[in-house]
Amino acid sequence: MLQKLNELDTQLFLFLNSKHNSFFDPIMYWASDKLFWIPFYLLIVILLIREYKKKSITILISIALLITLCDQIASHLIKNLVKRLRPSHEPILEGLIHLSKAGPGGQYGFVSSHSANAFGLATFLILLLPKKFNPLKWILGFWAVLVAYSRIYNGVHYPGDVIVAAIIGIVLAVIVFKILKVYISKYQSKN
């Protein structure tokens, strides 16, 4: 069963990774670059401070905790336990993969920390923000999918790596959000 899943994952990876072109190559390269998104993150921080005032400190601490959990679980715990080679390091795929100029990445790829972090942040903010921010919620969902897909496009993750990472990010976001709600209702004023 596991071998069959791995074969399907590899076939889907090769199909998706082969759909590259000169227009999307730079877009997907930058979509995977963490530093590229700093202005986006700063806008989110400003929005949270304006919307939640004093509570924004607790919210920002919760986000920092969430991203730390997503990143450490994906990058250190799971990758070191599973030790599944990235497609870019898989000898049987040599010459079949389109890699971006970012290169092949680290040796192991299961699961994608980029995807876990993006889906964690997006899910947390979607749960947190009120209805008036629904357009932003769609943008956040699109952003998380773009970051995850860029990892396949750039040749450094299988689809299974990003799907499992997305699930991890979503689950952790829900847990951290629920803890935040309890904390705010018990220890912070409604103002």
Side-chain angles (χ1 to χ4, degrees), residues 28 31-32 37 40-41 44 67 112-126 136-152 159 161-163 165-167 169-170 173:
M28 293 302 174
S32 275
W37 295 106
F40 180 63
Y41 302 143
I44 290 170
I67 299 302
S112 166
S113 56
H114 279 76
S115 300
N117 295 342
F119 273 91
L121 178 61
T123 302
F124 182 87
L125 292 172
I126 288 167
L136 176 59
K137 292 178 183 188
W138 282 101
I139 292 168
L140 288 164
F142 175 78
W143 168 74
V145 170
L146 175 66
V147 169
Y149 181 73
S150 75
R151 307 306 289 158
I152 300 166
D161 299 348
V162 300
I163 292 168
I167 293 167
I170 291 166

Side-chain angles (χ1 to χ4, degrees), residues 71-147:
D71 195 62
Q72 293 304 303
I73 289 170
S75 289
H76 298 286
L77 180 65
I78 297 175
K79 279 183 184 168
N80 291 328
L81 283 174
V82 176
K83 295 185 177 182
R84 180 186 190 197
L85 292 176
R86 289 179 187 263
S88 52
H89 289 282
E90 184 60 63
I92 62 170
L93 299 179
E94 193 173 326
L96 301 174
I97 297 174
H98 167 74
L99 282 175
S100 78
K101 66 180 182 176
Q107 188 175 13
Y108 302 124
F110 186 84
V111 294
S112 166
S113 56
H114 279 76
S115 300
N117 295 342
F119 273 91
L121 178 61
T123 302
F124 182 87
L125 292 172
I126 288 167
L127 293 170
L128 175 74
L129 294 170
K131 280 188 176 183
K132 68 181 180 180
F133 291 105
N134 279 353
L136 176 59
K137 292 178 183 188
W138 282 101
I139 292 168
L140 288 164
F142 175 78
W143 168 74
V145 170
L146 175 66
V147 169

